[in-house]
Amino acid sequence: MSIAIYPGTFDPLTRGHLYVIRRASVIFDKVVVGLLNNSAKNPLFSVEERMNMIKEVTSDIPNVEIIPFNGLLMQFAIEQKANVILRGIRTGGEFEFELMNAHANKKIAPEVDTLFFPCDINYSCVSSSMVRDVAAYGGEIRDFVPDSIAKKLYRKLKEKGLNKV
Ligand code: COA
């Protein structure tokens, strides 16, 4: 059975992330979205909120599972019996950085490979922090995130008093 892990903070998940998940679900028997409980990033949404948002927008893809994790990615990959780590690539600069990480991860777990996935050209400028920023200024974000996530993001920013308009 081929198992791929697509790791990230997903604060929130974007249409760029969703594209990678959908394409990967056609290639692998199972795609595990590894939701990092990332203390370094101080996420806007809790792990549970991020997990529910991803579940909702991937509910039509049967071979996708969302599993939170802490600590080392490769430890998580071994626990999940994954063959592959998937990393979306938006730019050449990102590739250089990701290649270094892939080499480090290969040293930690030689039996797990990293595959780079070119992102959808329509979303090469999208990141979670860019979407949060545009939303905080009241900008239109539905081209960048699924509608259900856009609604939750506007609401969360309002609740937390993080609106900039
Ligand atoms: N479309 C749109 N946006 C994308 C994207 C895509 N295809 N791919 C990445 N992004 C965005 C993300 O939303 C994120 O945006 P942000 O910085 O504004 O929040 C940004 O690009 C970086 O994403 P990513 O590279 O996936 O970082 P991450 O912090 O979400 O996750 C991990 C990185 C989980 C892979 C990494 O931190 C990790 O492995 N941590 C565990 C500890 C560990 O093992 N360390 C050793 C590594 S060698």
Side-chain angles (χ1 to χ4, degrees):
M1 188 184 191
S2 58
I3 302 177
I5 292 189
Y6 183 44
T9 310
F10 305 112
D11 187 40
L13 177 119
T14 68
R15 289 190 188 277
H17 295 129
L18 195 52
Y19 170 84
V20 175
I21 295 170
R22 276 194 194 286
R23 300 307 305 155
S25 73
V26 177
I27 301 169
F28 298 98
D29 294 323
K30 183 162 109 176
V31 177
V32 173
V33 178
L35 182 56
L36 181 64
N37 191 357
N38 196 341
S39 51
K41 278 199 171 176
N42 189 21
L44 179 67
F45 290 99
S46 70
V47 169
E48 201 186 358
E49 287 169 329
R50 280 178 276 150
M51 189 155 119
N52 289 338
M53 285 190 283
I54 303 172
K55 264 192 188 155
E56 194 179 344
V57 297
T58 58
S59 60
D60 62 319
I61 317 174
N63 57 336
V64 171
E65 213 176 313
I66 300 105
I67 305 180
F69 78 101
N70 281 302
L72 262 193
L73 173 60
M74 298 321 271
Q75 189 61 47
F76 176 63
I78 291 165
E79 282 162 19
Q80 294 300 318
K81 300 184 172 30
N83 318 92
V84 160
I85 299 293
L86 281 178
R87 297 297 289 153
I89 300 289
R90 291 166 298 175
T91 64
E94 200 163 71
F95 175 73
E96 300 238 324
F97 176 73
E98 289 298 335
L99 189 59
M100 272 174 48
N101 280 347
H103 286 152
N105 283 334
K106 188 80 181 170
K107 290 250 180 242
I108 301 169
E111 66 279 23
V112 183
D113 291 297
T114 298
L115 290 189
F116 297 128
F117 217 103
C119 75
D120 184 329
I121 194 156
N122 295 309
Y123 307 124
S124 61
C125 64
V126 178
S127 74
S128 301
S129 52
M130 171 272 221
V131 170
R132 292 195 305 270
D133 201 36
V134 174
Y137 283 101
E140 181 53 73
I141 54 168
R142 275 169 294 192
D143 275 353
F144 308 136
V145 294
D147 291 3
S148 61
I149 292 182
K151 280 188 199 128
K152 291 185 179 79
L153 179 53
Y154 287 125
R155 199 187 312 141
K156 174 67 83 178
L157 289 165
K158 201 169 170 191
E159 267 169 30
K160 292 205 164 188
L162 294 172
N163 280 337
K164 295 175 182 167
V165 282

